[in-house]
Amino acid sequence: MGVIEQNKRKKYMLVCAAIMFAIGVIFMAWLLYGKVAHGNGNQGGNILAGASPDTSALQMYYFDGETVSVRTFYDSDKEKKLIKRINAFVLSETEQGVVADMKPPFYGIWIGGEDGWGISVAWSEGIWIKDDGTTFYGNADFPGWWEEMAGEDEDDTLSVLSFPNAGILSAYHQCFMVEEDGLAKGADSVEMSIEEIPADGKVKVQITNNSEEEFTYGEYYSLQKRIDGHWYTMPIQAQNVGFHDIARILSAGESAEETYDISIFGALEPGEYRLVVEEISAEFAVID
């Protein structure tokens, strides 16, 4: 009788061990699937998570180093199919410095998100960079997708400053800046001087109208950098930045103080810069 009980106990233990092993295999398979399909752990899949094709068009950009073109999907079903294919790619996160290895042609995607803000991705040479600066390795068929969108609404008149994540890319590739010819207004008519550049990047300036006419300007401003004796406009690096379309009028002989946030252009390397508002500017230097 003791032998029979012992055999039953052995069988029970073997059955329990088999069940525990099966549960372990299922758990590991589920965990691996989650990483591959959803980008958990060190994976970067699902890179367009949060996209809202039902409420936003999807735009794909192409930049050959000289000209930017964009094609737009307005069909949510087409958008969803493309998003699904892109999100299926398994990506490995890497350091942002690999952006220096990217080269033309560059491809980009922009689509509105569920939170009301935009989602953007840039790709070249198997390197992906998101609008938050995270960078991944992972091959993809962007050239094929670009060709699939042939015949969709297309625009080839855009500035490179509008390319997805141009602000981050410009830190490694000068082709994402726009060379400027100069400024129209002379210093004897309207002047702008920098009063203070605090650590938070919110620059205080004074604009003085020395002319005999009203000077009109808006909220928009830009930042230029001097490179090899030439001025280049820098793309905005911060996400989801917008300017109100309003006019401010400065009467002849009057002055006004304004504050401009240059932190939207990212961390500035040592060099010469100028803040530009309409056709006036003020120069300053960043010292290491």
Side-chain angles (χ1 to χ4, degrees):
M1 189 70 174
V3 174
I4 294 174
E5 290 294 332
Q6 189 175 13
N7 288 338
K8 286 183 177 180
R9 182 175 297 176
K10 287 182 178 179
K11 289 181 179 179
Y12 176 78
M13 293 177 66
L14 288 172
V15 170
C16 288
I19 291 173
M20 293 300 293
F21 177 79
I23 291 173
V25 170
I26 293 172
F27 176 76
M28 291 301 295
W30 173 82
L31 186 61
L32 180 61
Y33 173 79
K35 286 185 176 183
V36 171
H38 304 292
N40 297 329
N42 293 324
Q43 304 296 328
N46 209 22
I47 198 167
L48 293 181
S52 181
D54 288 324
T55 59
S56 170
L58 181 148
Q59 295 182 309
M60 182 174 287
Y61 291 74
Y62 174 81
F63 177 47
D64 61 7
E66 295 183 0
T67 303
V68 174
S69 299
V70 60
R71 293 173 179 170
T72 304
F73 270 151
Y74 295 101
D75 186 322
S76 61
D77 290 334
K78 290 182 178 180
E79 293 178 56
K80 290 174 183 177
K81 290 178 181 178
L82 182 55
I83 291 170
K84 183 177 181 180
R85 291 157 68 185
I86 292 173
N87 281 342
F89 278 90
V90 178
L91 310 177
S92 56
E93 190 168 352
T94 185
E95 297 295 327
Q96 192 181 99
V98 300
V99 174
D101 297 329
M102 301 171 78
K103 60 183 181 182
F106 293 86
Y107 294 87
I109 289 178
W110 182 93
I111 185 171
E114 295 170 351
D115 59 0
W117 297 107
I119 299 172
S120 59
V121 175
W123 181 92
S124 171
E125 297 291 307
I127 299 169
W128 305 63
I129 184 163
K130 293 183 66 175
D131 46 29
D132 62 2
T134 53
T135 312
F136 305 90
Y137 275 125
N139 208 357
D141 188 22
F142 271 92
W145 298 334
W146 177 254
E147 291 304 317
E148 286 182 24
M149 293 183 71
E152 300 295 332
D153 184 37
E154 183 167 350
D155 186 357
D156 59 3
T157 63
L158 299 178
S159 165
V160 70
L161 300 176
S162 64
F163 191 88
N165 306 335
I168 303 171
L169 291 162
S170 68
Y172 302 89
H173 302 280
Q174 190 174 319
C175 61
F176 285 94
M177 297 184 183
V178 175
E179 185 174 0
E180 302 295 342
D181 295 330
L183 299 172
K185 283 188 177 293
D188 59 342
S189 56
V190 182
E191 296 178 330
M192 180 168 67
S193 59
I194 293 178
E195 301 294 308
E196 182 183 1
I197 304 180
D200 63 2
K202 292 183 170 56
V203 178
K204 295 181 179 180
V205 306
Q206 179 170 291
I207 301 175
T208 302
N209 184 0
N210 296 317
S211 73
E212 297 180 356
E213 300 176 351
E214 291 182 340
F215 176 68
T216 303
Y217 62 102
E219 285 195 358
Y220 178 77
Y221 57 97
S222 62
L223 187 67
Q224 298 178 4
K225 183 177 183 179
R226 189 196 293 271
I227 302 174
D228 297 329
H230 300 273
W231 289 104
Y232 292 84
T233 295
M234 302 173 61
I236 293 172
Q237 189 171 139
Q239 302 179 53
N240 303 309
V241 174
F243 300 94
H244 295 105
D245 187 16
I246 60 174
R248 294 172 178 165
I249 299 175
L250 186 61
S251 299
E254 293 189 356
S255 297
E257 290 188 352
E258 300 287 354
T259 299
Y260 298 101
D261 185 3
I262 60 173
S263 68
I264 66 174
F265 299 96
L268 302 183
E269 297 292 326
E272 297 178 74
Y273 296 86
R274 65 183 182 187
L275 177 68
V276 180
V277 178
E278 292 298 333
E279 299 153 320
I280 58 174
S281 68
E283 298 183 16
F284 64 95
V286 174
I287 302 173
D288 191 2

